[in-house]
Amino acid sequence: MPFDGIVTRAVTEELKKQLIPGKITRIHQPTDTELTLTIRSQGTNHTLLFSIHPTYARFHVTNDKYINPETPSMFCMVLRKYLAGAIIDSIDQLGLERIITFSIQTRNEIGDIANHKLVLELMGKHSNIMLIDEEKNHILDSMKHISLAKNRHRTILPGAQYLLPPTQNKANPLLIHGEELIRKLDFNAGMLDKQIVQTLEGFSPTIAKEIIARSELGKPETYAEKFSEIQSLLLQHHYEPTIYKNKREDFHVIPLTAFHGEKVTFDTANEMLDQFFSGKAERDRVKQQAKDLFKFIRNEKEKNERKLKKHRQTLKKAENANQYQKMGELLTANMHLVSIGDTEVTVIDYYDPDQIEFTIQLQTNKTPSENAQSFFKKYQKLKTSRQVIEIEIEKTISEINYLDQLLQQIDVASEEDIEEIREELREEGYLKHKSKQKKKANNQRKPKLETYESSDGTLILVGKNNKQNEYLTTKLAFRDEIWLHTKDIPGSHVVIRSKDPSETTIIEAAKLAAYFSKSRSSSSVPVDYTKVRHVKKPNGAKPGYVTYEQQKTVFVTPETSILALKK
């Protein structure tokens, strides 16, 4: 994912045209690493995303919707204090480095014009966003605070002077000539791609390898020529934003001629980045938000699995109950052969067809009658225990299946879904309740379902957690509509909003059911479908649990491409 200096240049140039002049109307910080600014420019609102995520560090205009915390962070409050209603005057990139400065003009408390800079540094795990007082050049605040103990080169704390990161003394690719680049490379040392990255600022390994792929081995002059081709594209602002799909996804704004696979092109770099990072970044946000929830459910599942193991061990012992009954009856029938103090007695086993001899071990401190009664008591105890254990085993297996289903739902959940899963766990007694007011608000809110449209235009609804599943199946769906679920596999409830859907629609809905199930990565997944009227929820059953009948089964392979049906 090379969000390098070249991609940064393309995004910066697009934002200059799109956002200048622009008024900052809203400021939010959805997570510890993300910031969104709503900017009003040219009669349109744009959401500008900044991310300093160690893996997904970037900035671009986005169409994604973010869930903001109820209480804003201190950094967010500082930005609102200084930048709310401010005007963005310019957006500048430092050479071809991934350092971008937003020059912003606003008015202070007494109405005088004040100039500030919002500086974004994209440097992997060292990425940061800083608000700078332009006149004094000191930091008003930053998303990450870095003390001298953490970084001996510079301090990033409120009140400190803003200093640029230490220079790496690389050449600016916009100013250097191809022949000069060749002179800086050692063709005998090999690893030319790394040499190019270490020589040119803003060049990622992806672009370095592209130069090598375009060049001829053993002909240094061709390297100069191919570098000049890429330099010309940059100077002419000629970009081709493209997502490349093969074994993994990648992107760039410079054509990667050596790539073989599927290519998806975009009109702008911002659109490309929004498409590329949307699902990946959301999954990471969900993973962070649900980290404690996932750990809690996993621990509960493991606790129940240990309980199930103990129950089965107890049940195995209880299976010997009939043996104690037999010994008690044989001893009673042969009481005349036993005396007090005997350690054992051998009798004829009349339960056995062959009438073989059977030896019974006795307790020497008990009479023959007491020994017989002891066997009968053990029999009754184990018999009763077996009945209880069988019920407990059934309950424990049901609990494990329920928790397993929750883990699957977290795996496919969006940010909004996570809170619904939390609320379900509160209602089921696993987690403590929030205040009554919040609890009432959550109960009144209708679950939001995933909506898809099949190839022939039929509506398909998908529930991604138990609250959504129950609402979809028991309240929203009509009795003659078609209901789908993976066969004996935790997954989503899916409803086709048609009484007589086409075979194509059934297959597409089945693929959605398979995709939003525990078997997402499998092939030939069995999916049952039937009319909603044949789906029932047993009394007292866990949320999302249903039984159904009169089903048919289709086998499908879940594919990411099925998500293109989303409305």
Side-chain angles (χ1 to χ4, degrees), residues 190-209:
M191 302 179 73
L192 288 174
D193 55 333
K194 290 187 177 180
Q195 290 191 52
I196 293 172
V197 171
Q198 292 166 2
T199 302
L200 301 175
E201 69 179 21
F203 265 47
S204 61
T206 299
I207 294 302
K209 289 175 182 177

Side-chain angles (χ1 to χ4, degrees), residues 402-421:
Y402 172 66
L403 295 168
D404 200 32
Q405 186 177 46
L406 289 177
L407 290 175
Q408 177 272 325
Q409 290 171 359
I410 289 176
D411 193 45
V412 299
S414 66
E415 293 177 84
E416 294 177 352
D417 299 332
I418 292 299
E419 184 53 39
E420 290 181 342
I421 294 174

